[in-house]
Amino acid sequence: MNAQQRYDEICSDLVARDPAVQLGKMMGMPCVKRAGKMVAGFASDEGAMTFKLPDFEQREAALALDGAHLFDPSGRGRPMKEWAVVPAVHADQWPYLATQALTSTT
Protein backbone atom coordinates (compact mmCIF):
# COMPACT_ATOMS: atom_id res chain seq x y z
CA MET A 1 0.00 0.00 0.00
CA ASN A 2 1.41 3.40 -0.92
CA ALA A 3 1.27 6.54 1.26
CA GLN A 4 -1.77 8.03 -0.49
CA GLN A 5 -3.72 4.79 -0.08
CA ARG A 6 -2.79 4.63 3.62
CA TYR A 7 -3.92 8.24 4.07
CA ASP A 8 -7.24 7.46 2.33
CA GLU A 9 -7.74 4.39 4.53
CA ILE A 10 -7.13 6.40 7.70
CA CYS A 11 -9.49 9.13 6.53
CA SER A 12 -12.25 6.63 5.81
CA ASP A 13 -11.88 5.22 9.31
CA LEU A 14 -11.92 8.68 10.94
CA VAL A 15 -15.06 9.72 9.06
CA ALA A 16 -16.80 6.46 9.96
CA ARG A 17 -15.99 6.87 13.66
CA ASP A 18 -16.75 10.58 14.12
CA PRO A 19 -19.62 12.44 12.41
CA ALA A 20 -17.85 15.77 13.10
CA VAL A 21 -14.96 14.76 10.83
CA GLN A 22 -15.05 15.99 7.26
CA LEU A 23 -12.66 15.58 4.38
CA GLY A 24 -11.74 18.47 2.17
CA LYS A 25 -8.93 20.43 0.64
CA MET A 26 -6.98 23.30 2.17
CA MET A 27 -3.60 24.80 1.38
CA GLY A 28 -3.67 22.88 -1.89
CA MET A 29 -3.74 19.46 -0.24
CA PRO A 30 -6.31 16.90 0.84
CA CYS A 31 -7.14 17.36 4.51
CA VAL A 32 -9.10 16.19 7.51
CA LYS A 33 -11.27 18.79 9.23
CA ARG A 34 -13.16 18.80 12.48
CA ALA A 35 -15.65 21.54 13.19
CA GLY A 36 -14.43 23.24 10.01
CA LYS A 37 -10.80 23.40 11.16
CA MET A 38 -7.99 21.53 9.47
CA VAL A 39 -6.33 19.03 11.81
CA ALA A 40 -4.43 16.78 9.40
CA GLY A 41 -3.56 16.51 5.75
CA PHE A 42 -1.57 14.72 3.10
CA ALA A 43 1.51 16.39 1.66
CA SER A 44 1.68 14.50 -1.62
CA ASP A 45 4.98 16.09 -2.62
CA GLU A 46 6.58 14.39 0.40
CA GLY A 47 4.31 11.35 0.60
CA ALA A 48 3.70 12.31 4.22
CA MET A 49 0.88 13.17 6.58
CA THR A 50 0.69 16.46 8.43
CA PHE A 51 -0.83 16.80 11.89
CA LYS A 52 -1.81 19.78 14.02
CA LEU A 53 -0.50 18.92 17.46
CA PRO A 54 -0.89 21.91 19.81
CA ASP A 55 0.25 19.83 22.78
CA PHE A 56 4.01 20.37 23.10
CA GLU A 57 4.81 16.82 24.24
CA GLN A 58 2.73 15.19 21.51
CA ARG A 59 4.30 17.43 18.86
CA GLU A 60 7.85 16.82 20.11
CA ALA A 61 7.24 13.05 20.12
CA ALA A 62 6.06 13.24 16.50
CA LEU A 63 9.00 15.44 15.50
CA ALA A 64 11.40 12.97 17.12
CA LEU A 65 10.47 10.38 14.48
CA ASP A 66 13.19 10.01 11.85
CA GLY A 67 12.49 12.35 8.93
CA ALA A 68 9.69 14.26 10.66
CA HIS A 69 9.79 18.06 10.65
CA LEU A 70 7.69 21.16 11.14
CA PHE A 71 5.21 21.85 8.34
CA ASP A 72 6.15 24.76 6.07
CA PRO A 73 3.44 24.88 3.40
CA SER A 74 4.82 28.05 1.81
CA GLY A 75 8.34 26.64 1.52
CA ARG A 76 9.68 30.02 2.61
CA GLY A 77 11.22 29.03 5.92
CA ARG A 78 8.16 29.95 7.98
CA PRO A 79 6.98 26.66 9.45
CA MET A 80 3.70 26.34 11.29
CA LYS A 81 4.74 25.83 14.90
CA GLU A 82 1.97 23.40 15.88
CA TRP A 83 2.20 21.23 12.77
CA ALA A 84 4.34 18.15 12.21
CA VAL A 85 5.02 16.37 8.92
CA VAL A 86 5.51 12.64 9.44
CA PRO A 87 6.89 10.64 6.50
CA ALA A 88 5.37 7.41 5.19
CA VAL A 89 8.12 5.32 6.79
CA HIS A 90 6.14 5.98 10.01
CA ALA A 91 2.69 5.36 8.51
CA ASP A 92 2.02 2.92 11.34
CA GLN A 93 1.96 6.00 13.63
CA TRP A 94 -0.41 8.02 11.45
CA PRO A 95 -3.70 6.73 12.93
CA TYR A 96 -2.49 7.49 16.46
CA LEU A 97 -1.29 10.96 15.47
CA ALA A 98 -4.53 11.66 13.62
CA THR A 99 -6.49 10.76 16.75
CA GLN A 100 -4.29 13.09 18.79
CA ALA A 101 -4.86 15.89 16.28
CA LEU A 102 -8.63 15.34 16.35
CA THR A 103 -8.70 15.25 20.13
CA SER A 104 -6.81 18.52 20.39
CA THR A 105 -9.56 20.36 18.50
CA THR A 106 -12.39 19.52 20.86
Side-chain angles (χ1 to χ4, degrees):
M1 174 181 310
N2 70 31
Q4 178 72 56
Q5 291 168 326
R6 182 67 177 130
Y7 170 80
D8 292 341
E9 181 182 76
I10 291 166
C11 289
S12 294
D13 181 58
L14 294 172
V15 168
R17 288 190 293 131
D18 187 341
V21 172
Q22 303 142 343
L23 303 180
K25 193 169 188 175
M26 291 182 88
M27 294 188 280
M29 67 181 193
C31 71
V32 178
K33 299 183 207 176
R34 183 154 196 237
K37 296 182 180 182
M38 185 172 152
V39 297
F42 185 72
S44 58
D45 59 331
E46 294 187 59
M49 261 191 96
T50 63
F51 305 93
K52 183 176 184 183
L53 301 168
D55 181 86
F56 176 79
E57 290 179 7
Q58 291 175 346
R59 185 173 57 258
E60 288 303 305
L63 291 171
L65 296 169
D66 188 41
H69 57 88
L70 287 173
F71 183 43
D72 182 5
S74 71
R76 296 182 182 157
R78 293 181 295 199
M80 299 173 75
K81 294 177 185 169
E82 295 185 335
W83 285 79
V85 177
V86 179
V89 66
H90 302 291
D92 61 324
Q93 296 293 311
W94 289 358
Y96 174 72
L97 293 166
T99 299
Q100 286 182 319
L102 285 170
T103 302
S104 70
T105 63
T106 58

XYZ file of all heavy atoms in Angstrom:
807
model
N 0.845 -1.176 0.000
C 0.000 0.000 0.000
C 0.894 1.243 0.000
O 1.818 1.345 0.801
C -0.879 -0.043 1.258
C -1.704 1.176 1.477
S -2.744 1.169 2.969
C -3.585 -0.378 2.882
N 0.599 2.188 -0.886
C 1.405 3.404 -0.921
C 0.885 4.428 0.092
O -0.151 4.227 0.730
C 1.492 3.973 -2.342
C 0.174 4.544 -2.828
O -0.649 5.055 -2.081
N -0.028 4.483 -4.139
N 1.596 5.537 0.246
C 1.272 6.539 1.260
C -0.112 7.145 1.042
O -0.865 7.339 1.998
C 2.340 7.621 1.287
N -0.454 7.451 -0.201
C -1.770 8.031 -0.488
C -2.885 7.056 -0.110
O -3.893 7.452 0.480
C -1.883 8.407 -1.965
C -3.241 8.968 -2.354
C -3.505 10.356 -1.824
O -2.721 11.262 -2.086
N -4.597 10.538 -1.102
N -2.711 5.791 -0.437
C -3.717 4.789 -0.085
C -3.858 4.661 1.428
O -4.967 4.527 1.944
C -3.349 3.436 -0.691
C -3.476 3.397 -2.191
C -2.839 2.156 -2.789
O -1.833 1.643 -2.300
N -3.431 1.668 -3.880
N -2.739 4.706 2.151
C -2.792 4.632 3.617
C -3.508 5.844 4.190
O -4.326 5.712 5.100
C -1.369 4.516 4.184
C -1.336 4.385 5.685
C -1.952 3.043 6.135
N -1.853 2.918 7.556
C -2.875 2.594 8.360
N -4.055 2.322 7.836
N -2.714 2.497 9.653
N -3.228 7.021 3.650
C -3.922 8.245 4.069
C -5.433 8.092 3.839
O -6.237 8.383 4.729
C -3.381 9.454 3.304
C -4.207 10.700 3.497
C -4.078 11.484 4.640
C -5.137 11.088 2.530
C -4.845 12.618 4.818
C -5.907 12.234 2.703
C -5.762 12.987 3.849
O -6.537 14.111 4.018
N -5.822 7.644 2.652
C -7.239 7.463 2.329
C -7.903 6.474 3.280
O -9.045 6.693 3.720
C -7.410 6.996 0.882
C -7.016 8.065 -0.131
O -6.958 9.262 0.228
O -6.736 7.688 -1.292
N -7.214 5.402 3.598
C -7.743 4.388 4.526
C -7.966 5.000 5.918
O -9.010 4.777 6.535
C -6.758 3.227 4.594
C -7.179 2.099 5.505
C -6.122 1.005 5.546
O -5.088 1.199 6.220
O -6.350 -0.027 4.905
N -7.004 5.757 6.395
C -7.125 6.400 7.702
C -8.285 7.386 7.701
O -9.082 7.425 8.640
C -5.798 7.090 8.087
C -4.734 6.032 8.368
C -5.979 8.015 9.284
C -3.320 6.569 8.428
N -8.398 8.163 6.634
C -9.490 9.130 6.535
C -10.852 8.444 6.552
O -11.777 8.911 7.232
C -9.341 9.967 5.268
S -7.983 11.126 5.343
N -10.984 7.373 5.828
C -12.255 6.630 5.814
C -12.622 6.163 7.214
O -13.780 6.263 7.633
C -12.170 5.434 4.871
O -12.031 5.858 3.551
N -11.641 5.676 7.944
C -11.880 5.225 9.310
C -12.281 6.396 10.218
O -13.219 6.277 11.003
C -10.633 4.532 9.858
C -10.838 4.027 11.267
O -11.773 3.203 11.488
O -10.089 4.465 12.175
N -11.604 7.524 10.096
C -11.916 8.680 10.936
C -13.329 9.187 10.684
O -14.064 9.496 11.624
C -10.906 9.806 10.687
C -9.468 9.538 11.105
C -8.557 10.672 10.619
C -9.355 9.360 12.612
N -13.718 9.257 9.421
C -15.061 9.716 9.056
C -16.122 8.749 9.582
O -17.168 9.170 10.087
C -15.178 9.907 7.528
C -16.613 10.096 7.094
C -14.319 11.069 7.077
N -15.844 7.465 9.497
C -16.798 6.458 9.964
C -16.986 6.510 11.486
O -18.075 6.241 11.986
C -16.342 5.063 9.543
N -15.933 6.863 12.202
C -15.986 6.873 13.664
C -16.505 8.173 14.260
O -16.972 8.184 15.397
C -14.602 6.582 14.251
C -14.175 5.145 14.094
C -12.919 4.824 14.880
N -11.749 5.512 14.346
C -10.878 6.212 15.087
N -11.030 6.312 16.365
N -9.850 6.794 14.520
N -16.420 9.282 13.541
C -16.753 10.585 14.121
C -17.530 11.421 13.111
O -16.962 11.873 12.115
C -15.468 11.290 14.548
C -15.711 12.574 15.309
O -16.818 13.145 15.242
O -14.754 13.027 15.978
N -18.816 11.667 13.368
C -19.618 12.436 12.414
C -19.167 13.893 12.265
O -19.541 14.568 11.310
C -21.038 12.361 12.980
C -20.882 11.959 14.398
C -19.592 11.215 14.518
N -18.350 14.401 13.193
C -17.852 15.774 13.099
C -16.648 15.891 12.169
O -16.211 16.993 11.850
C -17.481 16.295 14.491
N -16.126 14.757 11.711
C -14.958 14.759 10.827
C -15.420 14.884 9.378
O -16.338 14.196 8.944
C -14.120 13.475 11.015
C -13.016 13.385 9.960
C -13.526 13.430 12.407
N -14.762 15.796 8.671
C -15.050 15.991 7.259
C -13.732 15.966 6.487
O -12.692 16.352 7.017
C -15.720 17.346 7.029
C -16.985 17.529 7.820
C -17.106 18.967 8.317
O -16.150 19.720 8.349
N -18.301 19.325 8.740
N -13.817 15.549 5.256
C -12.655 15.576 4.380
C -12.800 16.756 3.439
O -13.905 17.137 3.076
C -12.553 14.270 3.596
C -12.492 12.995 4.433
C -12.398 11.778 3.536
C -11.334 13.047 5.421
N -11.694 17.332 3.069
C -11.743 18.473 2.175
C -10.383 18.748 1.588
O -9.512 17.872 1.532
N -10.207 20.005 1.198
C -8.933 20.430 0.635
C -8.645 21.830 1.167
O -9.495 22.713 1.111
C -9.003 20.429 -0.891
C -7.678 20.555 -1.562
C -7.787 20.273 -3.048
C -6.393 20.217 -3.639
N -6.414 19.830 -5.031
N -7.449 21.992 1.701
C -6.981 23.297 2.173
C -5.491 23.383 1.884
O -4.806 22.364 1.872
C -7.231 23.479 3.668
C -8.701 23.606 4.044
S -8.965 23.878 5.801
C -8.859 25.645 5.857
N -5.012 24.576 1.685
C -3.597 24.801 1.383
C -3.125 23.930 0.224
O -1.982 23.465 0.208
C -2.734 24.579 2.628
C -2.994 25.597 3.710
S -1.835 25.508 5.073
C -2.474 24.148 6.011
N -4.021 23.643 -0.705
C -3.669 22.877 -1.885
C -3.463 21.395 -1.656
O -2.876 20.725 -2.499
N -3.926 20.887 -0.508
C -3.742 19.463 -0.239
C -5.012 18.864 0.358
O -5.815 19.579 0.951
C -2.564 19.241 0.717
C -2.766 19.757 2.094
S -1.271 19.440 3.061
C -1.887 19.767 4.679
N -5.185 17.546 0.193
C -6.309 16.896 0.843
C -6.136 17.007 2.348
O -5.010 16.949 2.853
C -6.224 15.437 0.392
C -5.017 15.302 -0.443
C -4.341 16.619 -0.544
N -7.257 17.196 3.059
C -7.141 17.358 4.505
C -8.304 16.748 5.264
O -9.335 16.408 4.692
C -6.996 18.827 4.861
S -8.491 19.787 4.613
N -8.091 16.649 6.556
C -9.096 16.195 7.513
C -9.475 17.413 8.340
O -8.600 18.114 8.853
C -8.530 15.089 8.436
C -9.562 14.662 9.461
C -8.034 13.910 7.621
N -10.788 17.664 8.451
C -11.271 18.793 9.235
C -12.195 18.294 10.346
O -12.885 17.281 10.177
C -12.070 19.760 8.368
C -11.327 20.369 7.231
C -12.241 21.340 6.521
C -11.882 21.523 5.085
N -12.841 22.382 4.399
N -12.193 19.034 11.406
C -13.155 18.797 12.484
C -13.682 20.153 12.883
O -12.903 21.066 13.156
C -12.517 18.112 13.675
C -13.547 17.814 14.748
C -13.088 16.637 15.566
N -14.197 16.114 16.309
C -14.194 16.000 17.617
N -13.139 16.340 18.320
N -15.240 15.516 18.235
N -14.996 20.268 12.897
C -15.652 21.544 13.192
C -15.124 22.642 12.265
O -14.916 23.775 12.681
C -15.459 21.918 14.659
N -14.873 22.287 11.008
C -14.431 23.241 10.010
C -12.963 23.620 10.075
O -12.498 24.408 9.269
N -12.222 23.071 11.030
C -10.803 23.398 11.165
C -9.939 22.238 10.720
O -10.183 21.089 11.082
C -10.479 23.741 12.620
C -11.188 24.985 13.094
C -10.818 25.319 14.503
C -11.562 26.563 14.920
N -11.221 26.983 16.262
N -8.911 22.563 9.956
C -7.994 21.533 9.467
C -7.155 20.994 10.627
O -6.583 21.751 11.395
C -7.086 22.146 8.405
C -6.165 21.162 7.744
S -5.325 21.972 6.373
C -3.825 21.037 6.344
N -7.118 19.660 10.743
C -6.335 19.028 11.810
C -5.273 18.074 11.272
O -4.360 17.696 11.999
C -7.240 18.292 12.833
C -8.163 19.273 13.543
C -8.036 17.187 12.169
N -5.404 17.689 10.009
C -4.432 16.783 9.396
C -4.541 16.923 7.885
O -5.525 17.456 7.372
C -4.695 15.340 9.817
N -3.527 16.440 7.203
C -3.558 16.510 5.753
C -2.526 15.580 5.144
O -1.781 14.907 5.859
N -2.523 15.557 3.818
C -1.573 14.720 3.101
C -0.728 15.582 2.188
O -1.229 16.198 1.248
C -2.289 13.642 2.289
C -1.347 12.678 1.631
C -0.658 11.748 2.387
C -1.125 12.720 0.264
C 0.237 10.864 1.792
C -0.245 11.841 -0.346
C 0.446 10.909 0.433
N 0.552 15.642 2.469
C 1.508 16.389 1.659
C 2.023 15.452 0.570
O 2.985 14.715 0.770
C 2.647 16.913 2.528
N 1.357 15.464 -0.568
C 1.679 14.495 -1.621
C 3.091 14.664 -2.153
O 3.717 13.681 -2.555
C 0.671 14.590 -2.762
O 0.652 15.887 -3.307
N 3.623 15.886 -2.123
C 4.983 16.095 -2.624
C 6.017 15.379 -1.764
O 7.088 15.025 -2.240
C 5.310 17.580 -2.721
C 5.192 18.315 -1.396
O 4.384 17.912 -0.541
O 5.907 19.323 -1.219
N 5.676 15.116 -0.492
C 6.577 14.391 0.402
C 6.106 12.971 0.678
O 6.829 12.190 1.294
C 6.706 15.127 1.736
C 7.368 16.468 1.650
C 7.618 17.052 3.022
O 8.335 16.414 3.814
O 7.091 18.143 3.295
N 4.875 12.659 0.268
C 4.313 11.353 0.605
C 4.190 11.198 2.112
O 4.499 10.146 2.660
N 3.740 12.271 2.760
C 3.704 12.308 4.220
C 2.379 12.880 4.701
O 1.701 13.597 3.972
C 4.845 13.176 4.743
N 2.045 12.577 5.946
C 0.878 13.174 6.578
C 1.320 14.314 7.468
O 2.394 14.274 8.058
C 0.109 12.149 7.420
C -1.093 11.574 6.716
S -2.183 10.604 7.781
C -3.404 11.836 8.218
N 0.469 15.331 7.544
C 0.692 16.460 8.429
C -0.344 16.403 9.546
O -1.478 15.978 9.323
C 0.557 17.791 7.678
O -0.782 17.913 7.206
C 1.512 17.872 6.507
N 0.045 16.849 10.721
C -0.835 16.801 11.889
C -0.707 18.079 12.692
O 0.414 18.530 12.971
C -0.461 15.627 12.805
C -0.453 14.304 12.114
C 0.718 13.797 11.572
C -1.622 13.575 11.977
C 0.737 12.579 10.921
C -1.616 12.353 11.316
C -0.440 11.855 10.788
N -1.840 18.653 13.100
C -1.811 19.782 14.019
C -1.787 19.199 15.430
O -2.736 18.559 15.869
C -3.021 20.685 13.846
C -2.948 21.896 14.753
C -4.072 22.859 14.530
C -3.854 24.083 15.416
N -4.964 25.022 15.288
N -0.698 19.455 16.118
C -0.497 18.922 17.464
C -0.145 20.075 18.401
O 1.032 20.341 18.666
C 0.604 17.858 17.453
C 0.350 16.655 16.544
C 1.606 15.819 16.376
C -0.797 15.810 17.104
N -1.158 20.774 18.928
C -0.889 21.908 19.814
C -0.186 21.513 21.118
O 0.543 22.313 21.690
C -2.267 22.492 20.119
C -3.180 21.922 19.106
C -2.576 20.624 18.647
N -0.399 20.294 21.566
C 0.252 19.833 22.783
C 1.755 19.659 22.527
O 2.161 18.895 21.651
C -0.366 18.511 23.247
C 0.265 18.007 24.528
O -0.186 18.428 25.604
O 1.219 17.209 24.440
N 2.565 20.365 23.302
C 4.010 20.371 23.105
C 4.601 18.962 23.127
O 5.393 18.600 22.256
C 4.685 21.245 24.175
C 6.183 21.231 24.098
C 6.847 22.002 23.159
C 6.926 20.430 24.944
C 8.233 21.991 23.076
C 8.312 20.404 24.873
C 8.964 21.190 23.939
N 4.233 18.164 24.113
C 4.811 16.819 24.241
C 4.422 15.919 23.077
O 5.251 15.166 22.571
C 4.421 16.198 25.582
C 5.106 16.877 26.752
C 4.724 16.300 28.097
O 4.008 15.265 28.150
O 5.137 16.887 29.107
N 3.164 15.995 22.651
C 2.734 15.194 21.506
C 3.490 15.612 20.246
O 3.945 14.775 19.474
C 1.226 15.355 21.276
C 0.373 14.731 22.349
C -1.101 15.015 22.142
O -1.490 15.877 21.353
N -1.940 14.297 22.871
N 3.610 16.918 20.050
C 4.297 17.427 18.860
C 5.776 17.039 18.874
O 6.316 16.582 17.872
C 4.145 18.945 18.781
C 4.726 19.544 17.523
C 4.421 21.031 17.397
N 4.880 21.842 18.517
C 4.106 22.306 19.510
N 2.803 22.040 19.519
N 4.610 23.033 20.477
N 6.428 17.173 20.022
C 7.847 16.823 20.111
C 8.060 15.326 19.875
O 9.049 14.934 19.260
C 8.422 17.258 21.457
C 8.583 18.769 21.568
C 9.457 19.375 20.487
O 10.607 18.924 20.331
O 8.988 20.298 19.790
N 7.136 14.495 20.355
C 7.242 13.052 20.116
C 7.127 12.755 18.624
O 7.865 11.928 18.076
C 6.180 12.296 20.910
N 6.204 13.440 17.942
C 6.057 13.243 16.499
C 7.307 13.730 15.763
O 7.804 13.061 14.857
C 4.820 13.974 15.983
N 7.829 14.881 16.164
C 9.000 15.442 15.500
C 10.262 14.635 15.768
O 11.234 14.734 15.006
C 9.205 16.901 15.921
C 8.144 17.872 15.401
C 8.319 19.241 16.051
C 8.170 17.969 13.888
N 10.246 13.820 16.807
C 11.402 12.974 17.124
C 11.508 11.772 16.180
O 12.550 11.116 16.127
C 11.330 12.499 18.571
N 10.437 11.482 15.435
C 10.471 10.378 14.480
C 11.419 10.743 13.335
O 11.449 11.892 12.869
C 9.066 10.096 13.926
C 8.042 9.619 14.954
C 6.640 9.644 14.349
C 8.395 8.229 15.455
N 12.191 9.778 12.896
C 13.187 10.007 11.849
C 12.522 10.573 10.590
O 11.581 9.985 10.061
C 13.911 8.699 11.522
C 15.080 8.902 10.595
O 15.811 9.886 10.778
O 15.261 8.074 9.676
N 13.001 11.718 10.143
C 12.488 12.345 8.926
C 11.345 13.313 9.155
O 10.958 14.045 8.242
N 10.785 13.342 10.362
C 9.688 14.263 10.663
C 10.230 15.677 10.826
O 11.385 15.880 11.205
C 8.956 13.817 11.920
N 9.383 16.660 10.528
C 9.794 18.059 10.646
C 8.572 18.941 10.753
O 7.439 18.493 10.526
C 10.663 18.462 9.444
C 9.995 18.249 8.122
N 9.196 19.187 7.527
C 9.997 17.177 7.287
C 8.749 18.714 6.373
N 9.219 17.491 6.205
N 8.791 20.209 11.091
C 7.693 21.157 11.139
C 7.173 21.405 9.724
O 7.932 21.386 8.755
C 8.143 22.481 11.768
C 8.363 22.463 13.278
C 8.966 23.788 13.738
C 7.074 22.165 14.028
N 5.885 21.644 9.618
C 5.209 21.846 8.344
C 5.400 23.287 7.871
O 5.076 24.236 8.583
C 3.731 21.522 8.526
C 2.890 21.615 7.294
C 3.325 21.109 6.081
C 1.625 22.160 7.359
C 2.529 21.167 4.943
C 0.810 22.225 6.235
C 1.266 21.732 5.036
N 5.928 23.454 6.682
C 6.147 24.758 6.072
C 5.469 24.759 4.707
O 6.120 24.541 3.672
C 7.644 25.032 5.941
C 7.957 26.400 5.354
O 7.023 27.195 5.117
O 9.147 26.665 5.107
N 4.151 24.993 4.674
C 3.436 24.877 3.400
C 3.878 25.891 2.354
O 3.770 25.635 1.166
C 1.971 25.075 3.781
C 2.002 25.787 5.079
C 3.268 25.376 5.767
N 4.393 27.039 2.785
C 4.821 28.052 1.815
C 6.196 27.741 1.238
O 6.551 28.252 0.175
C 4.864 29.435 2.478
O 5.938 29.520 3.392
N 6.988 26.934 1.960
C 8.338 26.639 1.523
C 9.281 27.825 1.650
O 10.337 27.861 1.043
N 8.890 28.787 2.467
C 9.676 30.019 2.609
C 10.369 30.130 3.964
O 10.728 31.223 4.390
C 8.774 31.220 2.399
C 8.210 31.287 1.013
C 7.370 32.514 0.817
N 6.819 32.500 -0.525
C 5.736 33.150 -0.859
N 5.097 33.877 0.018
N 5.303 33.086 -2.098
N 10.532 29.005 4.638
C 11.223 29.031 5.920
C 10.396 29.592 7.062
O 10.945 30.071 8.047
N 9.064 29.494 6.919
C 8.164 29.948 7.982
C 7.249 28.794 8.383
O 6.067 28.778 8.036
C 7.344 31.138 7.516
C 8.197 32.382 7.279
C 7.358 33.538 6.858
N 6.780 33.222 5.548
C 6.291 34.108 4.712
N 6.285 35.361 5.020
N 5.794 33.735 3.552
N 7.792 27.825 9.102
C 6.980 26.657 9.453
C 5.857 27.002 10.430
O 5.955 27.968 11.189
C 7.983 25.700 10.090
C 9.070 26.570 10.597
C 9.136 27.737 9.659
N 4.827 26.209 10.367
C 3.695 26.340 11.288
C 4.089 25.614 12.571
O 4.323 24.410 12.548
C 2.442 25.766 10.634
C 2.071 26.504 9.361
S 0.723 25.740 8.455
C -0.670 26.199 9.462
N 4.154 26.325 13.658
C 4.740 25.833 14.902
C 4.009 24.638 15.518
O 4.611 23.869 16.250
C 4.836 26.958 15.917
C 5.800 28.028 15.473
C 5.840 29.175 16.434
C 6.735 30.256 15.855
N 6.649 31.489 16.572
N 2.729 24.497 15.262
C 1.973 23.398 15.882
C 1.816 22.196 14.955
O 1.159 21.229 15.318
C 0.596 23.886 16.321
C 0.656 24.921 17.426
C -0.718 25.307 17.934
O -1.725 25.177 17.189
O -0.786 25.739 19.097
N 2.404 22.255 13.784
C 2.198 21.227 12.768
C 3.449 20.398 12.532
O 4.534 20.944 12.353
C 1.765 21.869 11.456
C 0.344 22.324 11.471
C -0.146 23.465 12.044
C -0.763 21.648 10.909
N -1.499 23.538 11.858
C -1.909 22.427 11.160
C -0.898 20.457 10.203
C -3.169 22.058 10.737
C -2.159 20.088 9.766
C -3.275 20.884 10.042
N 3.244 19.086 12.495
C 4.338 18.153 12.206
C 4.046 17.407 10.909
O 2.902 17.038 10.636
C 4.494 17.150 13.338
N 5.088 17.199 10.120
C 5.025 16.371 8.918
C 5.705 15.054 9.268
O 6.853 15.041 9.699
C 5.770 17.038 7.737
C 5.749 16.133 6.520
C 5.180 18.395 7.423
N 4.974 13.958 9.089
C 5.507 12.638 9.438
C 5.546 11.795 8.166
O 4.503 11.524 7.556
C 4.653 11.961 10.535
C 5.196 10.586 10.867
C 4.602 12.845 11.784
N 6.745 11.376 7.759
C 6.888 10.642 6.498
C 6.253 9.247 6.541
O 5.994 8.691 7.615
C 8.397 10.552 6.293
C 8.996 10.754 7.630
C 8.033 11.581 8.430
N 6.050 8.703 5.349
C 5.371 7.407 5.192
C 6.100 6.254 5.874
O 5.474 5.246 6.202
C 5.154 7.098 3.719
N 7.388 6.391 6.106
C 8.121 5.324 6.793
C 7.523 5.090 8.193
O 7.664 4.012 8.751
C 9.640 5.623 6.841
C 9.938 6.839 7.691
C 10.427 4.428 7.310
N 6.803 6.093 8.704
C 6.145 5.976 10.009
C 4.618 5.925 9.871
O 3.889 6.324 10.785
C 6.531 7.157 10.902
C 8.002 7.264 11.118
N 8.710 6.354 11.858
C 8.897 8.170 10.659
C 9.988 6.703 11.860
N 10.125 7.791 11.133
N 4.136 5.413 8.749
C 2.692 5.358 8.509
C 1.950 4.554 9.572
O 0.764 4.773 9.795
C 2.401 4.788 7.115
N 2.656 3.653 10.256
C 2.018 2.915 11.345
C 1.647 3.841 12.506
O 0.760 3.521 13.297
C 2.930 1.784 11.835
C 4.261 2.286 12.375
O 4.806 3.278 11.832
O 4.760 1.687 13.333
N 2.269 5.013 12.589
C 1.962 5.999 13.633
C 0.858 6.981 13.214
O 0.306 7.689 14.058
C 3.226 6.801 13.976
C 4.334 5.988 14.581
C 3.962 5.483 15.961
O 3.491 6.249 16.801
N 4.157 4.198 16.183
N 0.556 7.040 11.933
C -0.407 8.017 11.449
C -1.778 7.936 12.115
O -2.324 8.973 12.484
C -0.548 7.920 9.942
C 0.621 8.403 9.142
C 1.793 8.954 9.611
C 0.748 8.381 7.738
N 2.623 9.268 8.571
C 2.007 8.927 7.391
C -0.076 7.947 6.706
C 2.442 9.067 6.083
C 0.364 8.065 5.401
C 1.602 8.634 5.082
N -2.383 6.751 12.285
C -3.701 6.730 12.934
C -3.668 7.309 14.356
O -4.567 8.058 14.748
C -4.076 5.237 12.955
C -3.273 4.633 11.855
C -1.994 5.404 11.825
N -2.634 6.974 15.103
C -2.489 7.491 16.462
C -2.334 9.012 16.444
O -2.995 9.731 17.211
C -1.285 6.827 17.131
C -0.945 7.388 18.487
C -1.752 7.128 19.592
C 0.181 8.184 18.662
C -1.450 7.661 20.837
C 0.495 8.713 19.901
C -0.318 8.452 20.984
O -0.022 8.975 22.206
N -1.493 9.530 15.558
C -1.287 10.959 15.467
C -2.536 11.683 14.994
O -2.851 12.775 15.476
C -0.094 11.258 14.545
C 1.261 10.810 15.076
C 2.315 10.839 13.977
C 1.685 11.634 16.275
N -3.277 11.075 14.085
C -4.530 11.662 13.623
C -5.530 11.758 14.763
O -6.230 12.764 14.914
C -5.102 10.847 12.463
N -5.592 10.735 15.580
C -6.488 10.760 16.748
C -6.068 11.859 17.714
O -6.906 12.586 18.248
C -6.499 9.387 17.441
O -6.978 8.407 16.515
C -7.385 9.391 18.668
N -4.770 12.012 17.928
C -4.288 13.092 18.791
C -4.669 14.458 18.214
O -5.099 15.344 18.953
C -2.772 13.014 18.951
C -2.309 11.900 19.855
C -0.801 11.898 20.007
O -0.049 12.112 19.058
N -0.358 11.637 21.223
N -4.518 14.623 16.920
C -4.860 15.893 16.280
C -6.355 16.170 16.416
O -6.758 17.301 16.703
C -4.443 15.867 14.817
N -7.174 15.155 16.217
C -8.631 15.342 16.350
C -9.010 15.676 17.787
O -9.856 16.534 18.024
C -9.373 14.086 15.905
C -9.438 13.861 14.408
C -9.969 12.471 14.104
C -10.304 14.923 13.752
N -8.399 15.026 18.726
C -8.704 15.246 20.134
C -8.324 16.656 20.560
O -9.002 17.263 21.379
C -7.960 14.202 21.006
O -8.359 12.901 20.585
C -8.296 14.371 22.466
N -7.274 17.187 19.994
C -6.808 18.516 20.385
C -7.722 19.636 19.902
O -7.586 20.767 20.343
C -5.382 18.753 19.877
O -5.375 18.890 18.481
N -8.662 19.322 19.025
C -9.560 20.363 18.500
C -10.905 20.387 19.206
O -11.746 21.177 18.857
C -9.805 20.176 16.988
O -10.460 18.950 16.766
C -8.535 20.275 16.214
N -11.090 19.532 20.173
C -12.395 19.521 20.859
C -12.525 20.618 21.864
O -11.604 21.231 22.287
C -12.634 18.170 21.561
O -11.579 17.946 22.494
C -12.737 17.052 20.569
